[in-house]
Amino acid sequence: DDALYTDYAIAKLLGLEDEFNPLIKKAKEQGIFTEDMLELISDIPFGYLHDFKFPAPFILNRIPAPLI
């Protein structure tokens, strides 16, 4: 029921590390996100979709910092 935690859970299922997820990285820096507040209810383990192809990193770098 929280978009930030949903984004985090999906990123983990895809095997994306936190340092490559600007939204999660910034939320952790600001103290509004902690992993211990997440209750994952799934039979699929983190990193399950290890062959997922992410878009080129430069796409994420085009997002203005204030929006992140």
Side-chain angles (χ1 to χ4, degrees):
D1 63 353
D2 185 301
L4 185 60
Y5 286 95
T6 301
D7 186 58
Y8 176 79
I10 291 170
K12 286 299 182 185
L13 288 172
L14 297 175
L16 181 65
E17 297 296 326
D18 294 348
E19 66 249 20
F20 298 111
N21 188 330
L23 182 64
I24 298 299
K25 184 177 177 182
K26 188 58 113 175
K28 282 184 170 184
E29 288 173 4
Q30 293 183 359
I32 59 173
F33 176 87
T34 59
E35 294 170 11
D36 61 338
M37 295 174 63
L38 175 66
E39 179 184 2
L40 182 65
I41 303 170
S42 175
D43 294 330
I44 303 171
F46 283 160
Y48 178 77
L49 303 171
H50 60 276
D51 292 333
F52 185 81
K53 304 293 184 224
F54 291 97
F58 74 92
I59 293 172
L60 295 177
N61 293 335
R62 298 178 76 189
I63 300 173
L67 293 178
I68 295 174

